[in-house]
Amino acid sequence: MTVTRFAPSPTGYLHVGNLRTALFNWLIARKAGGTFILRLDDTDPERSKQEYADAIQEDLEWLGLGWDRIEKQSARLDRYVAAADDLRARGRFYECFETPTELDLKRKKQLNMGRPPVYDRAALKLTEAEKDALRAERPGHWRFLLDQQRIEWQDGILGDISIDAASVSDPVLIRGDGQVLYTLASVVDDTDMGVTDVVRGSDHVTNTATQIQIIEALGGDVPAFAHHSLLTGPQGEPLSKRLGTLSLRDLRAQGVEPMALLSLMARLGSSDPVELRTSHQELIDGFDLSHFGAAPTKFDVEDLLPLTARYLHALPYSAVADEVAALGVPDALAERFWNMVRENVTTRGDMAGWWAILWQGADALVEPEDTEFVRIALAMLPDLPFDETTWAGWSGAVSAATGRKGKALFMPLRKALTGRARGPELAEFMPLMQAKPVVR
């Protein structure tokens, strides 16, 4: 059975880059009728916060990306200790004592000599007495001993990958303070939980190579790996500096619709065109991982607003009835209000502005050259309430009185009635007006 996972760290809010990883893994699992695991990488007790763990779940629920089970790595620390003991027994785990400063000096020396900055395995040459002396000064950290051979796999997006392990430092799996790092915890979890497919960012390619060797050392089955391209800004600039403003909760606050966001992210970076989907099943049916490429993918938050607007334009009244009622729209007018306004909103929040205009009366927008015309027109406006015939009768009378026709007639009237240059058909708008416009 296909098993995928999304393993965010609860150290901050989810952003669009995280979503890409979550969505791909969710789609793969759902398309195969498999299992999708939400796994919280919360092994760092100082940075992991419950508020972020809660926010991750809230964001996924908002998007409709449900999980089949949730796991917390903080509850599996004993399992990681056992795996570390297993690696020691196999001769694949060794203790090191260099400080960050010492390691930095080694790297700089290697670079100055034109060599790759790979850990020199000096710790393997230490005697037991030397180790005991160093332990008295500082805690040791633990590295995995790589087999220095080529690591190869068929990547689901990048194709054939081959990395020379001799060009990679033996990864640190346990820090000096005892904290288990992601590389070990992820391997153990993927093996224990039967994860069959892993999709993540292309910045993890080298990490994947080392994880493959760790999985094999522990006797596990290597999942099918795929590495999606990283997102950039619309001009190709690094997106990382902007991710604080691209959190999912910020996008939600801006009125972006879940299906608009999912529709974009399910196709962005692929050979398939972005198409607005109205259901999760449509997303699942149209997803093909092999259609995605390795080139950096441009993301522009502005692309989400047209998709959001198109999604809202197709919604029936029943989908927004509670929100319309919350605005104070009378039941007798509610469905007519939505049908009239829905093609003139970009987000749900825009409904409030239109109802305020209808309820309180617009601040008439009057161009200087139209001042006298609007004065005459508003003086001819009949008393409330208006009905379906009001617009035709009033605009016809104003035309006859002023001699204006076409755009010269209709645009100033629109601006006067609504305070805006664009909006619904005035024949549909006027019967809902609860107050006349105000000229300031």
Side-chain angles (χ1 to χ4, degrees):
M1 181 177 70
T2 298
V3 179
T4 66
R5 45 74 165 178
F6 174 50
S9 298
T11 56
Y13 297 117
L14 293 183
H15 52 69
V16 290
N18 301 135
L19 171 58
R20 200 157 191 239
T21 299
L23 179 60
F24 284 15
N25 285 287
W26 185 87
L27 288 168
I28 288 170
R30 292 294 175 258
K31 193 160 190 173
T35 297
F36 176 67
I37 301 171
L38 173 59
R39 195 170 74 208
L40 298 176
D41 177 7
D42 59 350
T43 57
D44 186 339
E46 293 184 2
R47 297 179 62 228
S48 297
K49 306 294 183 184
Q50 186 60 45
E51 64 181 283
Y52 293 132
D54 293 341
I56 287 169
Q57 295 175 66
E58 290 169 5
D59 286 341
L60 293 178
E61 288 171 346
W62 170 63
L63 292 166
L65 303 183
W67 52 89
D68 298 297
R69 69 187 222 235
I70 187 168
E71 300 280 355
K72 293 186 177 182
Q73 291 189 328
S74 59
R76 292 174 48 79
L77 298 180
D78 289 347
R79 183 67 189 90
Y80 309 142
V81 170
D85 289 340
D86 188 3
L87 291 174
R88 288 188 191 94
R90 296 171 183 267
R92 301 299 297 275
F93 220 23
Y94 64 102
E95 193 174 13
C96 305
F97 299 92
E98 292 91 350
T99 65
T101 300
E102 290 169 343
L103 289 172
D104 187 52
L105 288 173
K106 285 187 177 186
R107 283 191 291 268
K108 288 179 178 177
K109 183 177 180 180
Q110 288 171 317
L111 289 170
N112 288 335
M113 297 174 67
R115 298 176 182 173
V118 176
Y119 179 60
D120 59 10
R121 294 182 167 179
L124 290 174
K125 302 179 180 69
L126 295 174
T127 66
E128 288 303 318
E130 289 172 328
K131 291 179 184 178
D132 288 340
L134 286 168
R135 289 188 189 107
E137 298 177 7
R138 67 190 74 159
H141 54 274
W142 291 83
R143 291 181 182 266
F144 176 74
L145 184 64
L146 289 166
D147 281 335
Q148 293 188 329
Q149 59 188 21
R150 299 206 74 83
I151 305 170
E152 299 177 338
W153 74 92
Q154 177 67 31
D155 193 275
I157 294 175
L158 303 179
D160 293 328
I161 300 293
S162 179
I163 293 178
D164 184 0
S167 67
V168 180
S169 292
D170 292 337
V172 176
L173 302 188
I174 299 180
R175 294 196 325 194
D177 61 4
Q179 183 185 329
V180 175
L181 297 184
Y182 167 82
T183 307
L184 177 61
S186 180
V187 162
V188 173
D189 289 346
D190 287 347
T191 300
D192 289 356
M193 297 174 189
V195 171
T196 61
D197 295 78
V198 175
V199 182
R200 51 187 175 183
S202 57
D203 53 335
H204 282 283
V205 169
T206 300
N207 185 43
T208 293
T210 60
Q211 286 189 332
I212 286 173
Q213 280 207 9
I214 300 170
I215 293 170
E216 293 172 339
L218 291 172
D221 295 325
V222 177
F225 284 101
H227 296 80
H228 60 69
S229 60
L230 299 182
L231 297 178
T232 72
Q235 305 304 318
E237 72 275 20
L239 196 64
S240 56
K241 295 180 181 179
R242 297 180 56 208
L243 287 179
T245 63
L246 293 174
S247 71
L248 301 191
R249 58 188 39 228
D250 285 342
L251 296 177
R252 175 169 32 169
Q254 293 170 30
V256 171
E257 287 291 320
M259 288 307 303
L261 180 56
L262 293 175
S263 295
L264 179 64
M265 300 308 291
R267 288 289 181 84
L268 199 64
S270 77
S271 57
D272 299 316
V274 173
E275 296 177 330
L276 178 65
R277 302 301 188 183
T278 58
S279 72
H280 290 81
Q281 190 59 52
E282 286 184 64
L283 291 172
I284 294 166
D285 293 340
F287 181 73
D288 191 330
L289 191 66
S290 68
H291 290 186
F292 287 82
T297 300
K298 293 180 180 180
F299 172 82
D300 190 345
V301 68
E302 295 299 322
D303 292 337
L304 292 171
L305 295 179
L307 288 170
T308 290
R310 284 172 51 201
Y311 178 79
L312 292 176
H313 296 173
L315 285 184
Y317 167 68
S318 59
V320 297
D322 291 343
E323 290 161 284
V324 172
L327 294 176
V329 181
D331 291 344
L333 301 179
E335 187 165 1
R336 290 171 64 194
F337 168 74
W338 172 245
N339 289 335
M340 180 270 295
V341 82
R342 66 180 179 181
E343 291 191 4
N344 294 277
V345 296
T346 300
T347 70
R348 293 175 191 248
D350 294 340
M351 286 191 291
W354 282 112
W355 178 244
I357 290 171
L358 290 166
W359 179 251
Q360 300 168 0
D363 283 334
L365 179 60
V366 184
E367 304 299 337
E369 64 271 19
D370 295 323
T371 302
E372 180 61 17
F373 169 75
V374 171
R375 185 191 67 76
I376 295 171
L378 292 184
M380 297 177 65
L381 194 61
D383 292 334
L384 292 165
F386 302 146
D387 60 26
E388 287 75 9
T389 67
T390 301
W391 165 247
W394 176 58
S395 61
V398 171
S399 177
T402 64
R404 288 204 183 194
K405 297 179 180 180
K407 187 175 181 181
L409 170 70
F410 299 131
M411 183 58 73
L413 295 183
R414 172 178 291 284
K415 290 180 178 179
L417 288 177
T418 70
R420 303 184 183 189
R422 296 181 179 179
E425 293 293 331
L426 293 176
E428 299 175 6
F429 181 86
M430 292 189 75
L432 298 178
M433 290 175 63
Q434 308 296 299
K436 292 184 178 182
V438 178
V439 179
R440 304 291 181 182

